[in-house]
Amino acid sequence: MKKSTGNNSENLKVIKSKNHISDIFFEKTTLFFAFLIICIVFWIIYEMFIDSAPSRDAFGWGFIFSQDWEPVKEQFGALTFIYGTVVSSIIALAIALPVSLGIAIFLSELAPQIIKTTLSFLIEILAAIPSIVFGFWGIFVLAPFMRNTAQPFLESTLGFLPFFTGTKIGFGLLTSGIILAIMIIPIISAISRDVLKTIPQAQREAAYALGATRWEAIKMALLNAKSGILGATVLGLGRAVGETMAVTMVIGNRAQIKISWFEPAYSMASVIANEFAEASGKIHLSSLIEVGLVLFAVTFVINSLARFLIYSTTKKLTVK
Amino acid sequence: MANEFLNNINEFNLKEKYLSTNPEDSENPVFIKSEEYVNKDAAVQEKSSHEKSAIAVSTTNLSVWFNDKPGIENVNINIKKDSVTAIIGPSGCGKSTFLRALNFMHDLTPNAVVTGEINILGKDITEYNSIDIRKKVGMVFQKPNPFPTMSIYDNVISGLKLNWGHKKGLYDEIVETSLVQSGLWNEVKDRLKISAYSLSGGQQQRLCIARTLAVKPEIILMDEPTSALDPISTAGIEASIHDLKKIYTFIIVTHNMQQAARVSDFTAYFYLGKLIEHSKTSTVFTKPKEKLTEEYITGKFG
Amino acid sequence: MEAYEILANPKNLKRRKIINIVMLTLSVVSGLVAIIPLIYILFYTTAAGISSLNLDFFTQLPKPVGEPGGGIANAIVGSVEIVGLGSAFGIPIGLMSGIYVSEFSKSFFANIVKFVTDVLSGIPSIIIGIFAYGVIVLQTKHFSALAGGFALGILMIPTVTRITEEMLKLVPISLREASLALGISRWKTTLKIVLRTASGGIITGMLLAIARAAGETAPLLFTSFGNSFWSESIDSPTASLPVQIFNYAISPYAEWHQKAWAGAFVLIALVFIISLIVRLITKNKFSQSV
């Protein structure tokens, strides 16, 4: 026993309750299922590793830095897909972050109860709409809108930037960035709202008492919640990186790296979605699985970071 | 299982017999055949002759540790059978901690360690498993906590039903007796099938007592059972305790010294995790041996 | 005391007030901005989808391009089949693990389970598809509803675990104590008292998980694949609503687009109705248990 506070600590007899056999069996049963989850996750990692072995053997680390993707010549490199995923996700984040923050502030600090519940509900719905529907809507509504209205407008106003020039197809990095933004706004705003809610009301009252305006009080709460909000953002990023269908439908699916955001591109998830079922030959399939492995590694790092940030904020605040 | 169940029912009726004054009851052959009956009868006779067997709970150097800090320390106490023992003391003195150690309730508290020895009804507590001990040592909590998904009827028999299964009508008698004993029968007898949540706070607490009685424990622990109730409900529950102490051992934690004086035969005073004084209630309240006890009961602190 | 003068300067105060109003307005505006695409998508899909909804849509097999009529009955049945298989696999695991994490959370292992569940929920669904492909399709050498169900089941696990854990934690500890104090065993307490008290929330949470799974496309593309006809068994390629929508959506035919809109509308309606039920039930739950 660890306890040495008592004088006769050596003689302490610990009374341990005896559990009924059925209870022990029950706990072990639930434990078994919980353990299954862990097995499944390791199994997924193992499977990806094994199945991508031919590709990893053939291309090594060069796989990540090569732009070639030629199934006919059996030459594979993932750089174009990594580029497409990274850029579309960054665009998404740049759009989604300010909007989500605004929503979070509005929901946690400003809105009257009835609007709060309605808006929360609508955002929940937004989060639950299948991505195929977003993609479909992207093809028939957003892409034409981008081609005919948004892209000409952007070129005439921001055309001095290389991102906003080039052929206006409607399908490309910018369009998929916008679709992704719409899809990750619910998650970022919901978690930011929850984090903001954990900031004690007393802090805001203290700020008001010192003569702060409402915005200044909110700003203070935001500063306190910043790592939690960062965590929410990173979680949204993880979602954007892994999103498949909506991106596949609007990114244009062309394996190229172009500076313009109007240009079609390709993402890691979309190349898997498009080519996997018809992959020709072992090395092609294995390369696609290696793209999946890279995608998995990226989302794993992003999500772990996000969980850590959110956990550290809420923990710190609730302990206080 | 079936035997266990039968025994249980018999034992139950037996208790009823103790309550009733009808001599014909004891003529019932079922009871005489019952082993339990003989044992209990022997115990009753023994009780009158030997003081020793009249101990329901006895602890030796009982300590409970939370994260290596003692909640109670080296408590040595003998609690008499078929009596009411009140446990008093200021908040945080370890009253509830002591109580919860007696039926393994600390199982649910993370980082709680119980050390020492506890003897329940003549057997060391480690000889029971956690289910058996709780059938012998029932507990009523501070806040009424009926099961929200069950009717009044189902709440009363929840302990029996979940342990032995259910058959229509089997428990009708037990429900009535338990509710009569807890003083709730007249108020609810026409609406046994409605949700327990529709009762008032005091009624809910009496339902919880009835639920505990239905399992037929020998010892009933009560953790401030009336602190959340109005005076009328409190009076009702105190009356039930008074009636039932002939057949049950009550250990009641209370914040309210008047209540301790009203209902208990013995009073134990806890202070800072230690048992300071334990003797007849009249002694504790009129001429306490310890200075600390006197200060507490005269209202100098607490 | 220069600082006081700066602070008391009315210009300064005015500036602060303007910033205040601007920022608060921006916040409200962003709330509206987020709603616009939502409303747009909801209305557009409803308008485009409802017109091509008819009885045939639900009862007929797909027809080749050019022939009028036809439906996607096989895809709807296939979806039900695949999601059913997924639920049968994912819900028990999720439910039991949720019980473990909530009721036996004292242990260190419970925290590991929680972390791994988070990891699983962060894995992109397309990767789960690859996994199911490797584990089932590659071994059996053909696409099947079974493989699709396996993938969806894995996707459902983290949601179900999380919801079960949260709902069980809402059940006050005093109920557990009350039950244990009656000599009721731990497992009966958990299943018959705690789980039953939380059942409303858990069931609706599972409906939500099912609705999400029903809309998943990526993991089905190369597991259950697709089929223009009724699938023969769970061991053969099977059409599903989302994959069918995808195939129709990227096709060049207007009549197929119409069908896809109708399918999208069915999916959205499903999600909307279930979310609404969840909302209503959890609301009651909260007000009752507090």
Side-chain angles (χ1 to χ4, degrees), chain A residues 36-51 272 276 288-289 292-293 296, chain C residues 89 120 123-139 146-155 157 218-220 222-223:
Chain A
L36 260 186
I37 296 186
I38 295 178
C39 292
I40 288 173
V41 170
F42 277 100
W43 192 11
I44 292 172
I45 296 169
Y46 169 82
E47 192 71 33
M48 305 281 295
F49 249 99
I50 295 296
D51 294 347
I272 301 174
F276 201 91
L288 285 168
I289 294 175
L293 189 66
F296 175 80
Chain C
F89 171 63
L120 188 57
I123 298 178
S125 58
I126 186 103
I127 288 178
I128 307 290
I130 296 180
F131 173 63
Y133 178 86
V135 170
I136 297 187
V137 178
L138 224 47
Q139 306 306 322
L146 202 63
F150 180 64
L152 291 191
I154 294 177
L155 283 169
I157 290 173
L220 299 183
F222 35 84
T223 51

Side-chain angles (χ1 to χ4, degrees), chain B residues 100 105 107-110 131 134-135 137-139 141 145-150 158-159 162-163 211-212 215, chain C residues 106 172-186 188-189 192-193 196-199 285 288-289:
Chain B
R100 294 165 68 89
M105 264 306 157
D107 276 9
L108 282 182
T109 329
I131 296 175
R134 289 171 188 145
K135 283 184 198 156
V137 186
M139 190 160 190
F141 298 85
N145 51 6
F147 302 124
T149 53
M150 298 184 187
S158 50
L162 290 180
N163 275 320
R211 183 173 70 182
T212 306
V215 183
Chain C
K106 270 197 254 178
I173 192 138
S174 65
L175 278 188
R176 293 177 178 86
E177 288 184 340
S179 170
L180 292 177
L182 292 171
I184 298 170
S185 61
R186 188 90 192 248
K188 278 182 185 157
T189 300
K192 302 210 168 152
I193 306 285
R196 201 171 140 192
T197 309
S199 59
K285 201 87 221 159
Q288 190 193 39
S289 62

Side-chain angles (χ1 to χ4, degrees), chain A residues 3 5 13 15 17-18 20, chain B residues 65 68 107 114-116 126 130:
Chain A
K3 39 204 56 61
T5 8
K13 197 180 121 202
I15 301 178
S17 63
K18 264 188 295 188
H20 199 268
Chain B
W65 312 78
D68 295 348
D107 276 9
V114 184
T115 63
T126 52
S130 53

